Amino acid sequence: MTYHPGSRTIQDRVGVRDLADHVGRAVGQGIRPVAAAFLELQPMLVVGAAAPRSGTGAGRDADPAGGGVWASLLTGEPGFVRATGAHRISVTGGLPAGDPLTGALATEGTAVGTIALDPRTRRRMRLNGRVRSTPRGFAVEADQVFANCPKYLQKRQTYETVTGRTPGAARHGTELTPAQQEFVEAADTFFLATVHPHGADASHRGGNPGFVRVDSPGELSWRDYPGNSMFLSLGNLTADPRAGLLFLDWTAGGVLQLTGTARTEFTPDGERTVRFTLAGAVETPAASPLRWSAPAYSPANP
């Protein structure tokens, strides 16, 4: 794997360049049979990308989502996402109407990051690439395919699809409401979308409830726990501070999407904290039909 300068900056600062090179050799473009089999069992997929800018000379005034980085949730019966080639995944269906990334996924060649996470097995697979339209949805031509260790991933034994659950109207804002603040601080998991000049990435962050702090209605922070030493997300933020966060209500199906910018702060003892400044929020009640069982927290959580 070839790292861009943003990731190299973080690796060198932390002193893990050699380890990152070793881990990076496991990143490829091909989807192995075991990964293809894993994908076909999944009822959800998270996608991260930058929303296209719209309007002439209006920028964000024309489209509040325009230019922001977002993470979005897709769900379906197992098999709705599957490998359809050695370097391609195909997704049947698409995002709900009005999702901030609807335009991005409809634009040929958009850089996207995807992550398929299975709480039942505490496994996850990431695939980054470019969007291609298909008659039944969209496909992603892979640039990078890799798995992550189960660190900080909470185990949820089972899920069920709730028949008749209907998504509510999306609520937009530029600050977190008190209820949204409580929801974020009770979360044990969120997904992080980031971009760099040549691609995009979607990753997972997890911890015991309270690992994400609401410092104000417009700012969140979380400690960056030790991971695989590649520093793809933090490296992307060094190159481009735009970020998207996705929080799920694993029981009631609600989705909270946030977009804004993020920066990493380092302490002399090596601890890292990411601070996220909110630009926009979209909350959709009952967006997901999935109801998961209660979590067993990862033994790796600090």
Side-chain angles (χ1 to χ4, degrees):
M1 175 179 180
T2 301
Y3 295 103
H4 65 73
S7 291
R8 283 305 197 193
T9 296
I10 304 295
Q11 293 165 9
D12 290 342
R13 179 162 188 166
V14 179
V16 295
R17 178 184 277 247
D18 289 345
L19 180 57
D21 288 342
H22 174 75
V23 175
R25 285 193 281 272
V27 178
Q29 288 181 294
I31 303 170
R32 298 178 180 178
V34 65
F38 170 79
L39 278 177
E40 291 202 23
L41 297 175
Q42 304 314 313
M44 65 180 193
L45 181 74
V46 172
V47 178
R53 297 185 185 277
S54 63
T56 301
R60 289 180 179 271
D61 294 333
D63 178 3
V69 170
W70 297 85
S72 298
L73 177 71
L74 297 102
T75 62
E77 291 296 319
F80 89 104
V81 53
R82 58 195 177 91
T84 51
H87 307 283
R88 168 188 278 218
I89 63 170
S90 295
V91 179
T92 300
L95 295 168
D99 187 280
L101 287 185
T102 300
L105 296 190
T107 303
E108 200 82 3
T110 294
V112 298
T114 74
I115 178 170
L117 182 153
D118 190 344
R120 298 165 295 182
T121 60
R122 297 178 64 232
R123 292 174 60 198
R124 48 189 155 160
M125 170 186 165
R126 289 159 69 180
L127 183 148
N128 302 333
R130 300 277 170 173
V131 166
R132 297 288 180 263
S133 298
T134 66
R136 302 178 61 194
F138 68 94
V140 181
E141 300 288 350
D143 294 325
Q144 299 173 331
V145 182
F146 54 106
N148 287 129
C149 72
K151 263 186 176 181
Y152 321 123
L153 206 164
Q154 325 316 332
K155 186 167 187 176
R156 290 173 162 87
Q157 295 278 6
T158 60
Y159 78 89
E160 61 179 319
T161 300
V162 181
T163 303
R165 180 181 280 175
T166 303
R171 305 161 184 162
H172 296 255
T174 55
E175 289 190 341
L176 295 179
T177 67
Q180 290 169 344
Q181 294 177 46
E182 291 181 10
F183 176 60
V184 167
E185 292 196 321
D188 59 55
T189 300
F190 74 90
F191 297 90
L192 173 64
T194 57
V195 297
H196 61 88
H198 305 292
D201 182 73
S203 63
H204 152 276
R205 293 293 184 271
N208 291 336
F211 85 105
V212 183
R213 293 180 50 185
V214 177
D215 300 310
S216 74
E219 185 171 88
L220 312 180
S221 62
W222 62 90
R223 179 183 161 196
D224 184 65
Y225 299 148
N228 56 25
S229 298
M230 292 194 290
F231 290 106
L232 299 185
S233 297
L234 298 195
N236 287 353
L237 293 175
T238 300
D240 187 326
R242 292 177 297 168
L245 278 58
L246 172 67
F247 292 87
L248 307 181
D249 185 329
W250 297 87
T251 302
V255 167
L256 178 63
Q257 297 166 273
L258 309 178
T259 191
T261 58
R263 68 187 190 280
T264 307
E265 296 179 348
F266 295 82
T267 63
D269 62 3
E271 187 171 299
R272 300 176 298 275
T273 298
V274 181
R275 298 198 180 277
F276 174 82
T277 301
L278 180 67
V282 180
E283 180 184 5
T284 309
S288 167
L290 306 178
R291 179 163 59 206
W292 292 85
S293 57
Y297 297 123
S298 169
N301 293 346

